[in-house]
Amino acid sequence: MNVLLKIWKRRSRLTRIAILAIATLTILLTCILPVLTQQRVKITVMMQALEAAQWQPMEAKFEAENPDIDLEIIEAPNATNLVEDLYTSAFLLGDSPYDLVYLDIVWVPKFAAAGWLQDLNQFISEDELAAFLDGDVNGGKYQEGLYRMPFRSDGGMLYYRSDLLAENGYDPPETFAELIDISRDLQEKGVAKWGYVWQGRQYEGLPAMFVEILAGFGAYWVNPDTLEVGLDSENAIAAVEFLRETIDEGISPPGVTTYAEEETRRLFQGGETVFLRNWPYVAGLASQSDIAGKFALKPMVHQPGYPSGACQGGWGLGMSATTKHPEEAWRVIEFISSEETQREFVLETGYLPSRRSLFNDPAIVAKYSYYPQLLEVVENSALRPPIAQYAQTSDILQRYLSAALTNTMSAEKAMKAAAAETRRLLAR
Ligand code: GLC
């Protein structure tokens, strides 16, 4: 040691600085840089832009707790079918650039049947899955496999202006007719411009909304077990006529046939409509708007004698069959679906959790008092048919329903044509 010290002291100042610089660089190159760069595995997932922004805090927390993983979130358009098209093209082109797939519940059979996803049963037990809502778990299954871990559940609801109803002596409506009557009265009194606003654009949101009207009329779309098609039944045609009536009578704006979720949310938040059909995410956002404290939500209206239907929606993570990093990808899924992450995300955004216990979680109920009631709604939901040909089935319904709503075809003609085309598709 003494010898080294003597040699060091004999060197000029410049040489000492050079030695120190070389030593620092060597340590940086050999020890620190590899940790920072080479060992970080990149896990990529794509999702709708609205949600990508909401995932930022989770992403930051995950990366802080897992310094060896770089979670990259790619933004896509907000409409579910556009995101589905982007994933589909990526898989059809070969090795998908995505390690994880953020899946809408209705894509699962198609993606699983095509062999694009890994069976997650290798990572999780039935016991662990029992903590999640049945509808969400079942929606992630295809044949014997589990292809999607549920993250957030979803169910269609009826929002109403509780202040306007109370001021005018109305209870919240139970039936379609009551909804029309209250709307008409409040519009005539000049209390609100529109009565009822819903998603009428030709996209996936249209059948999602429509299965609720079908359920409320005691009708169905496709029976997933027998593949029978119910779109041309008298009650299904009446369901379409109800929607047409809302437009013809000026209860709904003519532009409703071009609206997706966000357009309808803005009208509701802007105080322009008494009723709105939408998903639970609206409650979180509307609570920070001018109508905060002036609205409530309830299960969808229905015909007397028939049940109320909430469309089963929801999102979760699947793992791409071609990912080179299944262990790291699973760590992301585990983190995202954990109770703690879901609680924080729900508190922040107002989305529904997929873990049953969180609907009665004290912190969540303190913020959203209506959550225990929502559990009942999502546990009795109306399904879009969970079949591998769902995307084409949905396209057919979207086309004909849109033709009926825009007055290009009568409700009866449109539903008969939709039923016939769906039968031909399912017979193939
Ligand atoms: C919501 C639902 C999803 C549905 C979509 C339709 O995101 O969670 O299941 O397909 O809305 O727009």
Side-chain angles (χ1 to χ4, degrees), residues 80 104-106 152 154 203-205 208 261 279 313-315 384:
T80 170
D104 188 342
I105 197 164
V106 286
R152 63 173 185 88
D154 231 350
Y203 79 121
E204 181 53 33
E261 284 86 355
W279 309 94
W315 294 79
R384 287 165 284 174

Side-chain angles (χ1 to χ4, degrees), residues 48 51 78-81 103-107 148 152-156 199 203-209 260-261 277-281 311-315 351 384 390:
Q48 44 281 37
E51 212 166 324
N78 283 327
T80 170
N81 35 304
L103 291 141
D104 188 342
I105 197 164
V106 286
W107 311 346
R148 186 194 81 136
R152 63 173 185 88
S153 190
D154 231 350
Q199 295 78 46
Y203 79 121
E204 181 53 33
L206 182 61
M209 173 280 303
E261 284 86 355
R277 181 273 169 205
N278 214 318
W279 309 94
Y281 83 99
C311 174
Q312 165 87 63
W315 294 79
Y351 283 115
R384 287 165 284 174
Y390 177 73

Side-chain angles (χ1 to χ4, degrees), residues 47-234:
M47 66 185 63
Q48 44 281 37
L50 176 71
E51 212 166 324
Q54 293 165 322
W55 272 53
Q56 292 302 316
M58 287 195 299
E59 184 190 0
K61 190 168 172 205
F62 175 80
E63 287 182 342
E65 286 176 15
N66 297 271
D68 57 326
I69 300 180
D70 169 11
L71 175 59
E72 193 179 36
I73 300 181
I74 314 256
E75 289 184 16
N78 283 327
T80 170
N81 35 304
L82 297 183
V83 196
E84 181 183 10
D85 289 348
L86 290 173
Y87 271 122
T88 300
S89 320
F91 282 112
L92 288 175
L93 284 172
D95 280 5
S96 151
Y98 307 107
D99 301 279
L100 293 170
V101 182
Y102 192 47
L103 291 141
D104 188 342
I105 197 164
V106 286
W107 311 346
V108 174
K110 167 178 149 185
F111 280 51
W116 296 337
L117 302 174
Q118 308 230 3
D119 185 349
L120 301 176
N121 277 323
Q122 58 187 309
F123 298 103
I124 188 156
S125 69
E126 281 294 325
D127 275 358
E128 287 168 288
L129 284 174
F132 295 84
L133 296 169
D134 292 343
D136 283 280
V137 174
N138 291 337
K141 288 185 176 163
Y142 181 70
Q143 294 175 348
E144 297 304 302
L146 176 74
Y147 294 94
R148 186 194 81 136
M149 269 298 283
F151 171 51
R152 63 173 185 88
S153 190
D154 231 350
M157 317 268 154
L158 183 71
Y159 288 79
Y160 61 94
R161 287 289 300 278
S162 44
D163 58 336
L164 303 183
L165 259 56
E167 283 159 19
N168 291 277
Y170 285 114
D171 285 332
E174 285 304 321
T175 64
F176 292 113
E178 284 168 13
L179 179 136
I180 297 261
D181 289 346
I182 301 174
S183 295
R184 197 182 286 125
D185 183 41
L186 296 193
Q187 282 177 283
E188 275 168 16
K189 287 183 180 148
V191 170
K193 187 164 180 197
W194 303 110
Y196 181 40
V197 170
W198 40 278
Q199 295 78 46
R201 181 192 294 177
Q202 188 180 330
Y203 79 121
E204 181 53 33
L206 182 61
M209 173 280 303
F210 186 59
V211 288
E212 297 165 359
I213 312 295
L214 277 178
F217 273 87
Y220 70 97
W221 180 359
V222 174
N223 177 327
D225 300 323
T226 63
L227 296 188
E228 264 168 282
V229 178
L231 290 179
D232 49 357
S233 72
E234 213 176 289

